[in-house]
Amino acid sequence: MRDILRRGFDRVERGLDRLFGPDWNPLAQLGPLGWLLFWLVAGTGIYLFIFFDTGVTAAYGSVEWLSRDHWWHAGLARSLHRYASDLMVLVMFTHLVREWAMDRYRGRRWFSWITGVPIIWFVYLSGITGYWLVWDELAHYVALTTTELLDSLGIFAEPIARNFLAPDTLSDRFFTLMVFLHIAIPLLLLLLMWIHIQRITEARTNPPRGLGLITVVAIIAASLALPANLDGPADLAKVPQAVGLDWFLLSLYPVIESVPPGVIWAGTALFTLLLFGLPWLPPRPEAAAAEVFLEFCNGCTRCVEDCPYAAITLVPRTDGLPFSHEVEVNADRCVACGICMGACPSSSPFRRSGDLITGIDLPGRPLAELRAEVIAAARGLTGPGRVMTLSCAHAAGREAAPGRVVLPCVAMAPPSLLDFIISRGLADGVAVAGCAERDCYNRVGGAWTRDRFARTRDPQLRRRVPRERILTVWAGPSETTRLAAELKGFSERLAAMPPYENVRPLQETESAGANGAAKRAGSAT
């Protein structure tokens, strides 16, 4: 089910790539779009509050005045407030389903998922309290339905629904309370959103300017074409009948009317518990966290800067070597993506003597074992135009194939590994097949790889490495056909090139060291 849904998202996103481009793809920018919509709702809400009067009669009158007499600014702001809130709900649930489909919520990535669950209910509470403030027929309906549901809990001394059954039972203090709630709840929501991104390095909270502008213009166009509805004033002497529901924020209200309250509360509790428990239903086996080898670590901070999950920090030196700091890995946050290993300057496969140990390595997939896998994969390459493929386990090249080494993330491979493959004659060229350009499973793996190859981020691909012998393919899981075509074309281009002149055959010490590392890894397994 998850794989089907993921491939479905991938196909839709490919279409959006053609329409918006990878950088502006809306489905790859759901988190930043959610932040943009929050600020748009907050900004228009503050503006509307300038014109709003609290009180049983004054509330509706002020909303009517701003909606009709001053529709060109205040009325437009009210429509923007409404449609941005609706779109935020849509973005929120699409983001939730997409993260589930991508399997980016289990294991050590549980924190963002768990902190996202309360955000759902705070978004709904913000919207519901906002509808009460309008105090039209829809607000009366929402107030009655909500308070009757709350009364079913039996925690109030007197039924609060009585306040909305007769005009003389409702006071102006009610609107003062609702204004307080409608301000306090979004502030708590903002706090939760901030907590939600705390375990993410360089979290994106702003969409690309172009996409943000398109989103705002689209909401303004919708607001002008279809202004937010305003029903007649609430009449507590009458039971509200037909009202126009906001199916994004109030879609559950018809269900609340037709289902016993106990079922509603039980269903809400079960749904919430299910969301909280999903990261452990079932739990995902996790590879061992990255390990630091201080003998080869000088505290250069490259792995700290490159880690997508803030799992690596810089701490004072403890081993007496002449460096001020060393790095420390928080195993509870490390997802074993290997990006840190690819960032370490000591991750060089060219070492000929001694054990191949790097400053920071993956115990379950060390650099020595990776070099051994590359050497072993090269033996399966024959004929002209031999292509070694380093592919991501979450992209189009995740299945095993001759001459292919599958990695947790392509950024795990240090640029020197490509130099090693080509200069040692293991292959005529190297293809790096990562996630689709719009979105990396490990957030920044694709970006860091591109930057390293472009020599704008350390460690850089050496200038001596012929760029024409390197291919990068950014393809999602549903693009296996395109990947195969790209690799075939690359192989044909390599076959047409003259032989690479600077090949230095693999030394026996290098091959033996790699084989030894592979044997040690196999025995440990």
Side-chain angles (χ1 to χ4, degrees):
M1 174 63 183
R2 178 182 288 113
D3 191 58
I4 294 174
L5 192 56
R6 182 182 183 185
R7 288 177 179 272
F9 268 110
D10 192 53
R11 291 189 177 93
V12 173
E13 290 169 20
R14 284 161 55 189
L16 292 174
D17 275 349
R18 290 189 286 270
L19 185 61
F20 293 96
D23 292 337
W24 289 10
N25 192 309
L27 286 180
Q29 298 286 340
L30 292 172
L33 283 176
W35 279 89
L36 171 67
L37 293 169
F38 173 85
W39 292 121
L40 185 58
V41 172
T44 53
I46 292 171
Y47 185 70
L48 290 172
F49 186 68
I50 298 173
F51 304 98
F52 185 76
D53 290 329
T54 59
V56 176
T57 57
Y60 180 84
S62 63
V63 175
E64 183 180 35
W65 177 80
L66 64 88
S67 298
R68 293 171 180 166
D69 295 347
H70 294 275
W71 63 269
W72 52 276
H73 66 95
L76 177 62
R78 177 172 175 254
S79 296
L80 283 170
H81 193 71
R82 156 79 181 272
Y83 292 130
S85 300
D86 289 345
L87 187 56
M88 188 174 181
V89 172
L90 179 62
V91 165
M92 176 179 65
F93 277 108
T94 306
H95 182 54
L96 181 146
V97 174
R98 186 173 182 270
E99 292 303 293
W100 181 85
M102 301 293 181
D103 200 12
R104 298 195 292 203
Y105 68 99
R106 292 191 295 161
R108 297 183 183 120
R109 298 176 77 161
W110 63 268
F111 181 82
S112 293
W113 179 272
I114 292 298
T115 55
V117 174
I119 290 176
I120 298 173
W121 297 122
F122 273 82
V123 167
Y124 273 103
L125 288 174
S126 298
I128 291 170
T129 54
Y131 271 106
W132 282 28
L133 290 176
V134 179
W135 205 232
D136 60 357
E137 293 174 348
L138 176 59
H140 187 199
Y141 165 77
V142 171
L144 273 176
T145 307
T146 304
T147 53
E148 287 174 355
L149 181 64
L150 291 173
D151 285 337
S152 68
L153 293 174
I155 60 176
F156 300 101
E158 295 182 1
I160 57 176
R162 292 178 182 175
N163 295 315
F164 305 100
L165 297 177
D168 58 350
T169 59
L170 189 63
S171 69
D172 292 347
R173 287 179 297 177
F174 163 75
F175 288 93
T176 303
L177 173 63
M178 296 311 300
V179 167
F180 171 78
L181 290 176
H182 197 54
I183 294 174
I185 292 173
L187 288 176
L188 292 173
L189 172 61
L190 178 61
L191 175 62
L192 286 171
M193 292 171 63
W194 176 77
I195 294 173
H196 181 62
I197 61 174
Q198 286 310 293
R199 287 196 177 185
I200 300 174
T201 302
E202 298 189 16
R204 297 178 299 171
T205 57
N206 294 310
R209 289 184 179 180
L211 178 61
L213 182 61
I214 290 173
T215 303
V216 173
V217 169
I219 299 175
I220 292 175
S223 300
L224 292 172
L226 192 64
N229 185 46
L230 180 64
D231 295 328
D235 186 354
L236 272 64
K238 299 179 181 178
V239 176
Q241 299 297 324
V243 291
L245 285 179
D246 178 345
W247 291 103
F248 289 93
L249 284 165
L250 306 176
S251 56
L252 291 179
Y253 275 73
V255 179
I256 294 174
E257 279 192 295
S258 57
V259 175
V263 176
I264 296 295
W265 287 117
T268 301
L270 288 174
F271 175 72
T272 304
L273 289 174
L274 176 63
L275 288 180
F276 274 122
L278 272 180
W280 298 277
L281 296 174
R284 181 175 59 193
E286 290 283 355
E291 185 177 356
V292 178
F293 296 90
L294 292 181
E295 183 182 352
F296 300 93
C297 174
N298 63 3
C300 70
T301 75
R302 290 177 185 172
C303 59
V304 178
E305 295 171 356
D306 280 13
C307 178
Y309 308 105
I312 307 175
T313 54
L314 207 62
V315 297
R317 199 78 188 188
T318 60
D319 62 351
L321 288 180
F323 304 106
S324 59
H325 291 85
E326 64 186 54
V327 295
E328 184 176 76
V329 176
N330 185 338
D332 292 333
R333 296 187 181 186
C334 178
V335 303
C337 63
I339 293 177
C340 56
M341 189 182 87
C344 184
S346 64
S347 294
S348 173
F350 286 101
R351 197 177 306 163
R352 297 183 182 181
S353 60
D355 293 334
L356 180 53
I357 301 175
T358 185
I360 186 167
D361 216 340
L362 292 184
R365 195 81 177 277
L367 180 62
E369 181 180 328
L370 176 58
R371 184 175 69 172
E373 290 180 35
V374 166
I375 294 172
R379 298 191 184 102
L381 297 174
T382 58
R386 299 169 301 148
V387 177
M388 172 76 68
T389 306
L390 304 176
S391 63
C392 173
H394 308 282
R398 56 184 176 175
E399 300 295 337
R404 179 179 296 177
V405 177
V406 181
L407 307 173
C409 180
V410 291
M412 173 184 176
S416 57
L417 182 62
L418 282 72
D419 187 5
F420 178 78
I421 294 170
I422 295 175
S423 66
R424 293 297 186 261
L426 300 178
D428 298 312
V430 181
V432 176
C435 296
E437 189 175 355
R438 62 184 170 269
D439 188 29
C440 174
Y441 179 84
N442 285 303
R443 299 187 57 250
V444 295
W448 290 173
T449 299
R450 290 189 291 271
D451 290 348
R452 292 170 185 173
F453 290 0
R455 298 181 57 80
T456 59
R457 191 179 193 89
D458 288 329
Q460 301 176 3
L461 184 66
R462 292 181 179 179
R463 295 186 185 277
R464 73 183 187 187
V465 180
R467 298 301 192 275
E468 67 274 12
R469 294 183 179 272
I470 295 178
L471 173 73
T472 54
V473 183
W474 310 108
S478 65
E479 297 181 90
T480 53
T481 302
R482 181 170 77 85
L483 175 61
E486 294 264 12
L487 294 177
K488 180 181 178 182
F490 183 47
S491 176
E492 293 172 352
R493 293 194 298 274
L494 290 171
M497 295 179 190
Y500 183 51
E501 298 179 353
N502 298 322
V503 172
R504 290 170 291 172
L506 190 69
Q507 300 295 316
E508 290 186 7
T509 53
E510 291 175 309
S511 182
N515 291 332
K519 290 178 181 178
R520 288 193 298 273
S523 62
T525 302

